[in-house]
Amino acid sequence: MSEANVGADFDSQQADAFAGNLLETLNRGALCLMVSIGHRTGLFDAMRDQPPLSSSELAVRAGLNERYVREWLGAMVTAGVVECSGSPPQFHLPAEHAAFLTRAAAADNVAVFAQYIALLGSVEDDIVECFRNGGGVPYARFPRFHEVMAEDSGQSVLSSLESHILPLIPGLIDRLNSGIKALDVGCGRGRIGLRLAELFPNSHFVGFDLSEDAIAAARQEATDRALTNIIFQAADLSDFHECAETGAYDWITTFDAIHDQAQPLNVLKGIHRALHGNGVYLMQDIKGSSQVQGNIGHPIGTFLYTVSCMHCMTVSLAQDGEGLGAMWGEEKTRECLLHAGFRSVEKHELEHDFQNNWYVIRK
């Protein structure tokens, strides 16, 4: 470092520590890409509960190219994810690590979330252009996003749907068994709605989403499962406050979907309009503060702001929308719900879910 750039009050120890943190960040960022690959290729699953394997043995077990597997193992060993011993080297994934990296780990599988880093990196050039000229990056530039979101919701929502989420609303399960009409706004590929339709054949379910590709995938899945009590519709809900069918639904849900809408308040007003007088609206959204200072120390604050900047906010701005972003926070959430006409808002936090707030909302 040039001495000309160093003032008398320059803290060299702080500078060295910060430089070390940046180097660690480079390693950890690279590790996210390798963890994503390990998840998508099934390498972590192939190593689970196995004795030490050579790179060739692992490649055969996973059905992959040995040269690539060997280089991937180098990243895993130097990151401390995989243990290495012997000559020629043998590789082992400890059970304590597999508990957070394999599909068998279910909701604890952090490798699913590592996929977002590669996805966001693919639009970096577009985001840089937005920094310079404003605007946004449309959904079409994120071809795998709904696929990863579906896997994400499969862990964070489906895994606890019956045990933790449905019981948040007293009497809901009985009503679903008897038969009600339910709507999921921003349904993506419809995994939650499809599961509910299977569980409660007497109820009727509807899913709306902006992405035609996601809706096509949801419809195909409903057909494959022979489900006749669920329909999916591609829709831009920017004018939902005007076009929503009044009092049509007994239960409406949004799972991590409001903050990236073009017109979130219009969507919330539409939900209020579409909800039956004694109906219930269940909203899952990111746990955080509307003030950045309130998110200092958030366990994944940097990750969430990054996802927000490079997806949630920008897809809204691409539609000339508000661009709330994922970290709009509880304060702004309550303000929007109040402006939408809701008067009863109960916040719940699930012990296993540090990322989300769960709001039970009534007129």
Side-chain angles (χ1 to χ4, degrees):
M1 180 180 295
S2 172
E3 292 184 4
N5 296 326
V6 177
D9 59 348
F10 186 83
D11 188 331
S12 59
Q13 289 186 332
Q14 180 179 341
D16 289 343
F18 182 69
N21 285 338
L22 286 179
L23 289 176
E24 184 65 15
T25 296
L26 287 175
N27 278 326
R28 295 303 177 185
L31 176 60
C32 282
L33 296 176
M34 292 289 100
V35 167
S36 176
I37 289 172
H39 173 74
R40 294 180 66 185
T41 58
L43 278 163
F44 291 125
D45 299 312
M47 297 186 79
R48 175 177 172 266
D49 293 336
Q50 293 299 304
L53 302 168
S54 68
S55 61
S56 297
E57 290 170 331
L58 177 57
V60 170
R61 182 172 174 78
L64 300 170
N65 179 278
E66 187 276 336
R67 182 65 189 93
Y68 279 89
V69 170
R70 193 190 336 152
E71 207 72 1
W72 177 83
L73 284 166
M76 292 300 103
V77 169
T78 54
V81 175
V82 168
E83 295 175 349
C84 175
S85 61
S87 182
Q90 301 278 303
F91 304 93
H92 175 63
L93 179 65
E96 294 80 2
H97 298 187
F100 298 97
L101 289 171
T102 59
R103 286 171 173 82
D108 291 330
N109 185 9
V110 180
V112 167
F113 299 96
Q115 295 175 96
Y116 286 114
I117 303 304
L119 282 174
L120 299 178
S122 71
V123 297
E124 181 183 2
D125 288 347
D126 304 82
I127 294 294
V128 168
E129 191 66 22
C130 291
F131 268 79
R132 290 174 174 149
N133 299 306
V137 182
Y139 274 107
R141 290 287 290 119
F142 299 87
R144 281 197 69 239
F145 201 87
H146 278 290
E147 178 185 337
V148 176
M149 277 294 295
E151 191 173 10
D152 181 347
S153 67
Q155 291 191 170
S156 61
V157 180
L158 281 182
S159 64
S160 56
L161 182 64
E162 299 161 63
S163 59
H164 292 82
I165 297 170
L166 296 182
L168 290 174
I169 304 173
L172 177 61
I173 293 176
D174 289 339
R175 294 184 68 194
L176 285 165
N177 280 319
S178 297
I180 61 174
K181 191 171 182 181
L183 169 66
D184 186 18
V185 175
C187 65
R189 293 193 170 196
R191 290 190 67 179
I192 299 167
L194 291 163
R195 178 59 178 156
L196 288 167
E198 287 180 328
L199 289 171
F200 305 106
N202 292 329
S203 288
H204 183 75
F205 301 89
V206 178
F208 290 155
D209 198 273
L210 179 65
S211 170
E212 294 186 2
D213 289 342
I215 289 297
R219 286 172 175 165
Q220 185 59 55
E221 188 67 22
T223 299
D224 292 345
R225 300 190 195 186
L227 294 172
T228 59
N229 62 329
I230 188 166
I231 61 173
F232 295 99
Q233 180 178 338
D236 181 347
L237 298 179
S238 297
D239 61 350
F240 198 43
H241 62 306
E242 297 175 342
C243 67
E245 185 180 356
T246 303
Y249 299 96
D250 304 289
W251 184 38
I252 300 179
T253 57
T254 57
F255 297 99
D256 199 20
I258 293 297
H259 60 256
D260 57 1
Q261 298 292 322
Q263 302 296 332
L265 184 56
N266 287 353
V267 175
L268 290 173
K269 287 180 177 179
I271 290 172
H272 184 274
R273 174 173 169 166
L275 193 65
H276 190 275
N278 63 353
V280 182
Y281 168 33
L282 176 68
M283 173 200 282
Q284 170 208 9
D285 220 297
I286 298 298
K287 183 185 300 184
S289 171
S290 301
Q291 304 299 320
V292 65
Q293 299 93 326
N295 295 316
I296 296 173
H298 192 297
I300 53 171
T302 304
F303 172 77
L304 291 172
Y305 274 112
T306 301
V307 173
S308 180
C309 181
M310 300 185 74
H311 182 266
C312 306
M313 182 186 75
T314 197
V315 296
S316 175
L317 293 174
Q319 303 171 69
D320 296 321
E322 187 173 344
L324 272 182
M327 297 301 280
W328 62 320
E330 182 179 344
E331 301 94 325
K332 183 68 173 179
T333 300
R334 290 183 177 274
E335 176 187 323
C336 289
L337 288 169
L338 181 64
H339 287 170
F342 292 103
R343 293 294 177 266
S344 174
V345 180
E346 302 172 7
K347 185 188 78 171
H348 298 266
E349 298 181 35
L350 303 180
E351 186 176 353
H352 69 280
D353 182 4
F354 66 86
Q355 180 175 324
N356 298 291
N357 285 329
W358 294 84
Y359 302 94
V360 175
I361 306 156
R362 295 177 173 85
K363 289 187 171 182

